[in-house]
Amino acid sequence: MRHYEVVFLVHPDQSDQVPGMTERYRGLIERGGGKVHRVEDWGRRQLVYSIAKIHKAHYVLLNIEVNGEVLEELESAFKFNDAVLRNMIVRRKQAVVGHSKIYEEELKEQERDRERDAQRDARRPERTAEKREEPAAKAAPPESGQESRTGAGPDAGESKGEAGKDEAGKDEGAGEAAAKSEEEETVT
Amino acid sequence: MSRRFRHKKFAVDGDPADLDYKDLDLLRQFIGETGKIVPSRITGASARFQRQLAKEIKRARYLALLPYTDQHK
């Protein structure tokens, strides 16, 4: 079977459906007798130019080994899914494993965000410390985090600067962690 | 010649097979300020390398990882 590398971009508002989508595609591939060699969720990235009037998209990378039928099914799935803005399938000579550079950077960013959150909680132990330290269930909406930050007077200055980045980090976390039900996805 | 413009990687740049559209840091060195692909007579890239490079840059552009132009937005 042939090796392919697949990248697809998902509308950022549908970020929380990405894990579900990825699982479905995996199922599709494996049921067809294919193999998934690598999955990378790059999370939401800023687009260099806007696509469909949006400036960010959720990127996912897959390295797979499938036959032609499954590939066509996958292409079809991308085509008819409105949440998938763009996709690219490239032929590869062999399986690729290991992290791509983009993924490495993404992991480092997440690490930095975690450290920054940990440092902030150490400085200002508050109720929100509990909410933030739930990596598994990142149900905490960005708004509650925002309120508590601006609530603390002396730290307001620096927290505002970091606010944007933290929110982005939380968004990505929510996207990865929460596996929403598939009914919510629009498949025309 | 136009050697002044890019004192750059008089590219003993090695294996075109290592080029990857995901390797943005590398690719970015070969596009100009306007986003255009820099000619190999300036970068010193081999013909083979330049061909593969162009291919990968165009893929990255399609995925909005690299710009087509400096006039986006």
Side-chain angles (χ1 to χ4, degrees), chain A residues 8-12 14-16 18-19 41-45 56-60 85 172 175-176:
Chain A
F8 60 97
L9 273 57
V10 181
H11 195 286
Q14 259 79 289
S15 262
D16 44 349
V18 167
D41 185 332
W42 298 347
R44 283 200 211 138
R45 278 181 72 95
K56 281 192 178 199
H58 198 120
Y59 283 77
V60 180
L85 302 165
E172 295 178 52
E176 288 164 17

Side-chain angles (χ1 to χ4, degrees), chain A residues 5-7 9 38 42 45-49 51 55 59 61 86-88 90 92 100-102 105, chain B residues 19-26 28 56 58-69 72-73:
Chain A
E5 186 164 292
V6 179
V7 182
L9 273 57
R38 168 167 81 167
W42 298 347
R45 278 181 72 95
Q46 185 75 25
L47 298 176
V48 170
Y49 53 88
I51 296 178
H55 305 288
Y59 283 77
L61 167 74
R86 214 162 254 204
N87 72 286
M88 186 172 89
V90 173
R92 284 295 182 212
S100 66
K101 300 201 178 158
I102 299 184
E105 285 177 27
Chain B
L19 285 175
D20 187 7
Y21 64 89
K22 303 188 287 293
D23 191 350
L24 304 177
D25 293 330
L26 181 64
R28 240 177 250 130
E56 301 294 336
K58 291 171 185 175
R59 282 178 179 164
R61 282 174 173 172
Y62 174 69
L63 294 176
L65 299 167
L66 284 179
Y68 284 96
T69 171
H72 288 308
K73 284 186 183 103

Side-chain angles (χ1 to χ4, degrees), chain A residues 87-120:
Chain A
N87 72 286
M88 186 172 89
I89 301 178
V90 173
R91 182 91 190 274
R92 284 295 182 212
K93 296 236 172 87
Q94 41 182 217
V96 178
V97 277
H99 294 164
S100 66
K101 300 201 178 158
I102 299 184
Y103 196 50
E104 289 290 338
E105 285 177 27
E106 175 61 23
L107 292 176
K108 276 189 226 147
E109 279 248 0
Q110 290 176 10
E111 190 55 42
R112 266 184 262 138
D113 289 346
R114 274 196 289 267
E115 283 176 15
R116 200 173 352 101
D117 288 345
Q119 283 173 17
R120 167 173 300 133

